């Protein structure tokens, strides 16, 4: 196991502050063009995208959900989802990195103290990166949390073993969950260089290798009481945390589906050969190829429409919702996720057909967002709400 040096990644203060949705979407499209360059090589070589993440953070996109009264743009959930899908089409590993960031900032706005909001929103707007340390292996379910945040004569202390800690390798602050002495599941923001905290680079997934979803070990780590978030308050009344978490996953899948379809079109025009008995000069003129591409486009367009619909439903009840609203939002997100997940799997798998036998070679970079990467994402056990 490689314990990442504490100073391996740190954000700088040269971070842009985005002011509205239009600026956010334009920035995302421009950034996606840059992130797409070398995405295949980063994944195949597992070169962690430290420089790319720094550029992403400094673009200002990580703070777009922060409300205007705290200095952010306060963009809609629909805008956040489109930003994630746009970045994921370029590199889904990088597209997944800010997922917990967006969820945690929304959660903080709901249940954090005014002091916590001002401090951590300010940190993000200054370019600090929020990671995550929530999932654990071996328990009965996601609520079977073994980590502990305990009171001692020396103050609060944290002992934890966490896995699937996406983005922790690039983080300045890592929220880590644990059970307190009152039996409540809470989480605490811990600085990356805290004594006793280790971020372990042991992620060895089949795909999305540069999401760096490794492990965290906390041994008797000192906890600042001011940084403890009472997670259980999120579920004392109907919450959008679950559907929002799942919709962010659907956005990543949607980005993969979009990129896979675009790559399929490129392969049909530039690589695929016509069937020997077709009598055609170009594969793109084959009616079977045209029909398959049409089917792919319909699936991607349907997924896109359902993801947008779900985001708008969440936006409509974002700042005031009851149990019925949350149920309606949850169903809409589930419908969108089914389509986005299936479209991503189907479109990426079809790349092998368009690329031919040579696309299966290890040296091939045709399947930039293809089956290996998307299959790992769509079956990861970290799909639930972590806050």
């Amino acid at each position: 196991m490689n314990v990442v040096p504490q100073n391996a990644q740190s954000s700088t203060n040269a971070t842009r502050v985005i002011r509205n949705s239009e600026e956010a979407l334009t920035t995302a499209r421009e950034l996606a063009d840059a992130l797409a360059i070398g995405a295949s090589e980063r994944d195949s070589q597992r070169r962690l995208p430290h420089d790319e993440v720094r550029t992403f953070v400094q673009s200002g996109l990580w703070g777009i959900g922060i409300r205007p009264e705290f200095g952010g743009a306060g963009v809609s959930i629909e805008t956040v989802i489109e930003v994630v899908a746009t970045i994921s089409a370029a590199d889904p590993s990088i597209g997944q990195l800010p997922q917990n960031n967006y969820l945690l900032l929304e959660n903080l706005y709901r249940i954090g103290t005014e002091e916590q909001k001002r401090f951590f929103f300010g940190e993000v707007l200054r370019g600090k990166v929020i990671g995550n340390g929530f999932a654990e292996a071996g328990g009965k379910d996601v609520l079977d949390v073994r980590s502990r945040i305990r009171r001692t004569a020396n103050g609060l202390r944290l002992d934890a073993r966490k896995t699937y800690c996406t983005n922790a390798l690039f983080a300045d602050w890592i929220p880590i969950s644990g059970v307190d002495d009152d039996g409540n599941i809470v989480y605490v923001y811990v600085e990356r260089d805290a004594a006793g905290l280790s971020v372990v680079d042991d992620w060895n997934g089949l795909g999305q290798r540069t999401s760096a979803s490794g492990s965290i070990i906390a041994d008797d780590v000192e906890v600042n009481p001011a940084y403890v978030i009472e997670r259980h308050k999120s579920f004392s009344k109907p919450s959008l945390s679950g559907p929002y978490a799942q919709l962010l996953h659907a956005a990543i899948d949607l980005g993969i589906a979009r990129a896979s379809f675009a790559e399929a079109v490129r392969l049909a025009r530039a690589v695929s050969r016509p069937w020997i008995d077709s009598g055609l000069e170009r594969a793109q003129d084959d009616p079977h190829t045209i029909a398959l591409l049409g089917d792919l486009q319909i699936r991607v367009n349907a997924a896109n429409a359902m993801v947008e619909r779900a985001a708008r439903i969440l936006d409509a009840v974002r700042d005031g919702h009851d149990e019925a609203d949350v149920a309606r939002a949850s169903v809409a997100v589930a419908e969108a996720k089914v389509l986005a997940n299936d479209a991503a799997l189907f479109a990426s798998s079809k790349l092998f057909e368009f690329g031919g036998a040579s696309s299966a070679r290890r040296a091939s970079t045709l399947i930039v967002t293809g089956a290996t990467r998307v299959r790992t994402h769509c079956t990861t056990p970290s799909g639930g709400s972590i806050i």
Side-chain angles (χ1 to χ4, degrees):
M1 295 190 303
N2 296 320
V3 178
V4 176
Q6 303 289 2
N7 61 353
Q9 169 69 20
S10 179
S11 301
T12 69
N13 292 327
T15 302
R16 173 184 182 182
V17 177
I18 289 174
R19 295 302 179 189
N20 53 57
S21 291
E22 182 180 358
E23 186 179 351
L25 294 173
T26 298
T27 300
R29 288 190 288 268
E30 293 172 349
L31 180 63
D33 289 340
L35 294 179
I37 299 172
S40 251
E41 289 75 12
R42 287 194 298 272
D43 188 77
S44 62
Q45 300 168 15
R46 198 177 181 273
R47 180 177 67 78
L48 295 178
H50 290 290
D51 292 339
E52 290 79 8
V53 171
R54 185 176 295 110
T55 300
F56 189 4
V57 172
Q58 291 173 352
S59 74
L61 288 171
W62 290 56
I64 56 176
I66 296 173
R67 302 304 200 279
E69 60 264 35
F70 294 100
V75 304
S76 64
I77 289 175
E78 184 178 2
T79 296
V80 172
I81 293 303
E82 178 57 28
V83 166
V84 172
T86 298
I87 299 299
S88 297
D91 186 332
S93 291
I94 294 179
Q96 187 158 343
L97 296 181
Q99 178 200 23
N100 294 304
N101 171 85
Y102 292 132
L103 286 169
L104 288 160
L105 293 178
E106 189 73 11
N107 196 53
L108 186 64
Y109 182 77
R110 302 294 173 199
I111 65 172
T113 66
E114 289 302 306
E115 293 76 13
Q116 289 170 336
K117 294 176 191 177
R118 283 196 298 270
F119 179 74
F120 285 109
F121 290 158
E123 286 286 272
V124 172
L125 291 173
R126 286 189 291 271
K128 297 294 184 178
V129 175
I130 295 176
N132 95 92
F134 291 90
E136 296 185 3
K140 177 182 178 181
D141 53 39
V142 295
L143 295 179
D144 185 7
V145 178
R146 311 293 176 87
S147 299
R148 294 292 180 266
I149 298 174
R150 51 192 170 78
R151 302 185 190 96
T152 72
N154 296 319
L156 293 180
R157 315 296 289 194
L158 168 68
D159 293 291
R161 298 291 186 275
K162 301 293 183 177
T163 188
Y164 297 111
C165 300
T166 301
N167 194 42
L169 289 177
F170 310 110
D172 299 290
W173 289 96
I174 305 176
I176 302 174
S177 63
V179 178
D180 66 13
D181 289 342
D182 298 321
N184 294 316
I185 299 177
V186 300
Y187 60 90
V188 59
Y189 282 79
V190 179
E191 291 186 271
R192 169 67 180 278
D193 60 356
L197 184 70
S198 301
V199 181
V200 185
D201 182 15
D202 59 354
W203 175 239
N204 61 352
L206 173 64
Q208 286 192 291
R209 284 181 277 185
T210 60
S211 66
S213 303
S215 303
I216 287 174
I217 301 171
D219 285 322
D220 197 36
V221 172
E222 182 179 0
V223 169
N224 187 335
Y227 299 158
V228 176
I229 310 296
E230 296 181 287
R231 177 184 183 270
H232 53 94
K233 287 185 177 179
S234 292
F235 305 100
S236 62
K237 56 184 179 180
S239 170
L240 293 176
S241 291
Y244 190 22
Q246 294 302 316
L247 189 58
L248 283 161
H249 274 288
I252 300 166
D253 292 339
L254 178 59
I256 293 170
R258 289 177 183 174
S260 296
F261 172 69
E263 179 70 356
V265 172
R266 188 192 72 80
L267 291 173
R269 289 173 174 168
V271 176
S272 298
R273 294 186 294 181
W275 182 247
I276 190 171
D277 295 323
S278 68
L280 298 171
E281 293 295 325
R282 304 183 306 174
Q284 67 198 70
D285 296 326
D286 189 324
H288 296 289
T289 298
I290 294 171
L292 179 54
L293 288 173
D295 183 28
L296 289 177
Q297 186 166 34
I298 290 169
R299 291 170 186 253
V300 174
N301 286 347
N304 195 82
M306 291 298 284
V307 168
E308 287 182 358
R309 171 179 174 270
R312 289 170 185 159
I313 289 174
L314 262 67
D315 275 323
V317 297
R318 185 180 188 183
D319 292 322
H321 46 265
D322 57 20
E323 186 173 348
D325 294 324
V326 173
R328 184 165 62 96
S330 297
V331 171
V333 169
E335 292 171 338
K337 192 177 180 187
V338 167
L339 282 180
N341 184 294
D342 289 353
L345 285 170
F346 186 79
S348 60
S349 296
K350 289 298 178 181
L351 293 181
F352 287 106
E353 293 185 25
F354 288 106
S358 61
S359 64
R361 294 183 301 178
R362 182 180 296 273
S364 174
T365 58
L366 295 176
I367 315 170
V368 175
T369 55
T372 55
R373 202 181 293 186
V374 68
R375 287 188 191 281
T376 300
H377 170 69
C378 292
T379 58
T380 176
S382 61
S385 172
I386 50 81
I387 58 174

